[in-house]
Amino acid sequence: MQKSPRSTVVRGWRWLALLTAAVGATLALGVLPQFGPAAQTRHTQPPIWATAISTADRSTNNPPSVSLYESRDGGLNWTKLESGFTAFNVPSMLSATDGWTSGQTQTGALYFGQTRNGGQTWTRYFGSKDLVGLDFLNDEDGWRSMTNLPSSGQVSWKIYRTTDGGLHWIPVFQSHLATLSATSAPFFVNAQEGFILDIEGPEWDVLETQNGGQSFRRLTARPLGGAGVSPVGVTFTTPRRGWTLVASTGAGAGGLNFLMTSTNGGRTWSENTALPKLATVEQFDFLTANDGYVLAPVRTISGRSAVTPVGTRLYQTTDGGASWRLIDQSQSMTLTNLVFLTSLKGLAVEGSRIFETEDGGRRWHRIAQKPDLDFQSLWSLNQISRLSQ
């Protein structure tokens, strides 16, 4: 696969949790999954990375420590690379060896980090009090958005750009945002045109650049959002079709989520995404501008916020989100962390179990189970998926 579509940090629940703290703030019939035995032979696979909590860590740490794991055989076997992996952004892996991430240490220090050996070790760069969002268009062109977190006064916002895979970062933009404001990770459609969210409390605006990050203009006539919701990044599958995943954070919401979309380049946004009303959207994933998926774990809410997983719905679009169809519905498993290695082959996890599809998500087979691990996130190289990893 050539070096164009890549993933960003949209699937960043740790990023969302940190950002929220920092700024203060139907049923359709589907096809039941068909289970089968693990494949007897495995072809050479691109690397897959995961964060997971081990049984030992869960019993000895409060909160439990998250470790970074790698699989070289399509998810059958996993090797621990680094313990105490504290990234809140899922890493952007540019190749099997080179990648970037940003995060927060257990002591609260913010950083962005680099690996040159496939995640075995990370060099962490610590700024002042900057919240860092990263985006790579390919294995050379990338952007870093940095917003500081002062206790009072305006927020300083800086954009850095690299054209050599992160060897050198050049400042291209500096401005100020409102107090208690921060930005999402940027998302670039090409080397010049990109988008970013300016998030202030429960509301956010969409900003656009047409010159590679040297200047930005506000697209939205009025802020999006409101009490009890918060966006999880922004992405565009075409220069006009944009998407954001919104998490409900109000009392009683139980962590429910939904999609918003724009069809005019980010100027206006709507919850009318041609999907059924799915409050439990957890992940959406476009492989091309036309082909994409929405993973919607089915949950039951009890009390004010307790959520019980009770199944999965997987929707597919082949026309850029103009229409969606339910291709999988299961009450026997609750899949999370969908990642595609090719347009047909994908992986997902449920706790300690790893599932695989080889037909674009219509049928799933359990290929492995790791009783000592609880998988938290899953991703592969940024050459196919643009949104989810």
Side-chain angles (χ1 to χ4, degrees):
M1 199 84 175
Q2 58 191 14
K3 60 172 187 180
S4 51
R6 81 292 174 241
S7 111
T8 60
V9 195
V10 174
R11 181 66 177 82
W13 302 111
R14 291 176 182 81
W15 180 90
L16 172 62
L18 176 62
L19 177 61
T20 302
V23 302
T26 181
L27 238 141
L29 295 178
V31 180
L32 290 175
Q34 299 181 20
F35 296 95
Q40 299 301 310
T41 59
R42 307 292 291 178
H43 298 291
T44 301
Q45 300 284 347
I48 305 167
W49 293 270
T51 54
I53 300 173
S54 72
T55 304
D57 289 338
R58 189 179 294 278
S59 62
T60 58
N61 291 280
N62 187 23
S65 174
V66 177
S67 297
L68 181 65
Y69 293 81
E70 179 190 56
S71 174
R72 294 269 175 170
D73 59 8
L76 289 178
N77 297 286
W78 296 86
T79 301
K80 180 186 286 190
L81 300 180
E82 183 171 330
S83 298
F85 192 73
T86 53
F88 56 85
N89 282 349
V90 173
S92 294
M93 297 301 296
L94 311 183
S95 69
T97 57
D98 299 339
W100 291 86
T101 190
S102 57
Q104 183 181 35
T105 67
Q106 293 176 339
T107 61
L110 299 172
Y111 70 87
F112 67 99
Q114 178 187 33
T115 182
R116 293 294 188 189
N117 55 16
Q120 296 180 46
T121 58
W122 292 81
T123 301
R124 289 173 169 83
Y125 302 91
F126 292 89
S128 50
K129 293 183 178 179
D130 291 321
L131 188 67
V132 180
L134 291 162
D135 176 57
F136 278 88
L137 182 63
N138 48 52
D139 58 5
E140 295 180 348
D141 298 298
W143 290 262
R144 190 173 88 230
S145 177
M146 303 183 68
T147 49
N148 70 343
L149 303 174
S151 56
S152 62
Q154 288 184 319
V155 174
S156 175
W157 175 31
K158 301 176 183 177
I159 295 287
Y160 291 80
R161 181 174 181 176
T162 181
T163 56
D164 56 12
L167 293 178
H168 303 89
W169 292 90
I170 301 172
V172 294
F173 175 80
Q174 181 170 348
S175 185
H176 289 91
L177 302 172
T179 304
L180 299 179
S181 182
T183 67
S184 70
F187 184 90
F188 277 78
V189 177
N190 53 53
Q192 298 301 317
E193 187 173 6
F195 302 86
I196 199 167
L197 303 184
D198 174 18
I199 305 169
E200 184 177 4
E203 297 183 333
W204 64 94
D205 284 289
V206 181
L207 309 182
E208 178 192 40
T209 178
Q210 294 280 355
N211 53 17
Q214 297 180 57
S215 64
F216 287 82
R217 67 188 184 102
R218 192 173 304 274
L219 295 177
T220 41
R222 58 185 178 84
L224 303 173
V229 298
S230 184
V232 185
V234 64
T235 191
F236 279 76
T237 48
T238 71
R240 296 187 62 81
R241 190 66 186 253
W243 301 87
T244 184
L245 179 60
V246 180
S248 299
T249 56
L256 304 182
N257 314 293
F258 57 91
L259 282 175
M260 294 187 71
T261 188
S262 172
T263 58
N264 56 12
R267 289 168 179 79
T268 60
W269 292 76
S270 170
E271 293 180 34
N272 181 18
T273 61
L275 276 171
K277 290 297 183 181
L278 296 171
T280 54
V281 171
E282 177 164 308
Q283 185 181 346
F284 65 119
D285 186 10
F286 275 85
L287 310 185
T288 69
N290 290 322
D291 302 312
Y293 296 86
V294 162
L295 182 66
V298 181
R299 297 184 172 98
T300 297
I301 304 175
S302 59
R304 291 179 61 86
S305 61
V307 179
T308 303
V310 293
T312 302
R313 296 186 192 128
L314 182 63
Y315 291 82
Q316 182 187 44
T317 181
T318 56
D319 54 16
S323 64
W324 297 83
R325 64 191 183 102
L326 181 65
I327 63 170
D328 179 86
Q329 178 170 288
S330 168
Q331 296 181 358
S332 61
M333 60 181 180
T334 303
L335 297 178
T336 60
N337 297 296
L338 180 71
V339 60
F340 277 87
L341 309 180
T342 70
S343 59
L344 295 177
K345 179 174 289 188
L347 294 179
V349 294
E350 181 195 36
S352 63
R353 302 193 295 171
I354 300 102
F355 293 84
E356 179 186 69
T357 179
E358 296 184 296
D359 58 8
R362 290 170 178 79
R363 293 174 297 177
W364 292 87
H365 302 272
R366 188 177 71 185
I367 61 171
Q369 184 165 359
K370 305 298 176 183
D372 58 330
L373 296 179
D374 181 4
F375 288 95
Q376 304 296 300
S377 64
L378 188 70
W379 69 96
S380 186
L381 293 179
N382 303 328
Q383 296 175 327
I384 301 173
S385 171
R386 300 198 66 178
L387 304 182
S388 68
Q389 300 177 45

